[in-house]
Amino acid sequence: MSPVIVTDIARADAATVDALAVHGVATVHEAMGRTGLVGTGFSGIGLRPIQQDVRVAGTAVTVLSHPGDNLMIHAAVEQCRSGDLLVVATTSPSTDGAFGELFATALHARGVRGLVTTTGVRDTAELRALGFPVWASAVCAQGTVKNTPGSINVPVIVGGVLIRPGDVVVADDDGVLCVPRTDAAQALAASDARFEKEEADRAAYAGGQLSLDRKGLRPTLTDLGIVYMTQQEYDAG
């Protein structure tokens, strides 16, 4: 496909995005049947937050760049609006510092909620001071050029997961998760139900109930051949 900038993407419902952010990555991931988690398995991409105690969700504006070149990030700023989250991937692996404080300043002014990138980032102290959250595959001061074409708002692969423009990207200390735009309402309903169940579990455990009993796991132990014995019986073989 020729390089392209798509300007009129459909985005997930804003209220749904905000509600998914409250639940966070682990809850939504489990509610979705343990799907959508970025950077697991054999993907080779390990995205890490440069900050702690931050939980966000936003609608994906995607960038597909040439490695070592940040031209398309410059072009992507214009396509971002309040509530978005910028997602940057490259056509082959690159850890160069393609994103820093100046980009974050421009995006922050437009209401963009953060960055997820397979590349490196730099100016991390300034990014934290600005309150612009980032999940990246590397931190690297190496700069980039601005002369290679790429695309904006096309599907990209990040950590083995397909992210389409307008999808919901949830990110926190536990990782990064993609919720397809068309599945966002269903994912929220499932997350709400899981939250209510976990609230009941939390109250039961605080009251002293064991998870073995609440979840009915004792028969599973028996079926797997796991036996209880005293220390004396164990020592005696």
Side-chain angles (χ1 to χ4, degrees):
M1 185 196 316
S2 299
V4 62
I5 297 175
V6 181
T7 62
D8 58 344
I9 63 172
R11 289 167 166 88
D13 173 71
T16 301
V17 174
D18 291 345
L20 287 168
V22 173
H23 284 304
V25 170
T27 294
V28 180
H29 171 58
E30 292 285 353
M32 290 172 57
R34 298 180 182 175
T35 62
L37 193 60
V38 171
T40 59
F42 299 98
S43 65
I45 296 293
L47 298 176
R48 296 290 184 271
I50 67 164
Q51 66 287 313
Q52 290 185 312
D53 303 325
V54 173
R55 176 178 290 173
V56 300
T59 43
V61 168
T62 63
V63 179
L64 184 62
S65 289
H66 191 275
D69 192 305
N70 68 0
L71 173 65
M72 300 314 296
I73 302 179
H74 285 274
V77 174
E78 183 181 22
Q79 304 306 319
C80 291
R81 70 186 194 192
S82 182
D84 285 340
L85 192 149
L86 189 63
V87 178
V88 178
T90 52
T91 55
S92 60
S94 174
T95 58
D96 292 340
F99 187 97
E101 176 197 6
L102 295 179
F103 274 138
T105 299
L107 291 171
H108 191 271
R110 299 178 78 87
V112 176
R113 294 178 173 177
L115 168 75
V116 169
T117 179
T118 65
T119 71
V121 296
R122 58 187 186 177
D123 305 331
T124 53
E126 289 81 0
L127 294 174
R128 287 189 290 269
L130 184 62
F132 190 84
V134 170
W135 288 258
S137 64
V139 173
C140 181
Q142 176 66 48
T144 56
V145 298
K146 301 167 180 61
N147 56 21
T148 315
S151 293
I152 297 169
N153 284 329
V154 297
V156 296
I157 300 291
V158 179
V161 173
L162 177 65
I163 300 179
R164 297 179 176 88
D167 284 350
V168 185
V169 176
V170 187
D172 59 23
D173 287 353
D174 293 337
V176 176
L177 177 78
C178 178
V179 181
R181 178 178 61 85
T182 54
D183 297 340
Q186 180 181 354
L188 177 58
S191 298
D192 287 343
R194 183 173 181 86
F195 176 78
E196 292 177 5
K197 175 184 177 297
E198 289 184 345
E199 283 285 274
D201 287 342
R202 188 173 293 108
Y205 300 153
Q209 186 175 0
L210 294 173
S211 58
L212 276 176
D213 297 318
R214 184 167 180 83
K215 295 183 178 296
L217 294 174
R218 292 191 187 276
T220 301
L221 295 178
T222 300
D223 292 343
L224 292 173
I226 300 170
V227 299
Y228 288 84
M229 64 176 60
T230 66
Q231 183 69 57
Q232 184 177 13
E233 290 170 335
Y234 180 80
D235 291 343

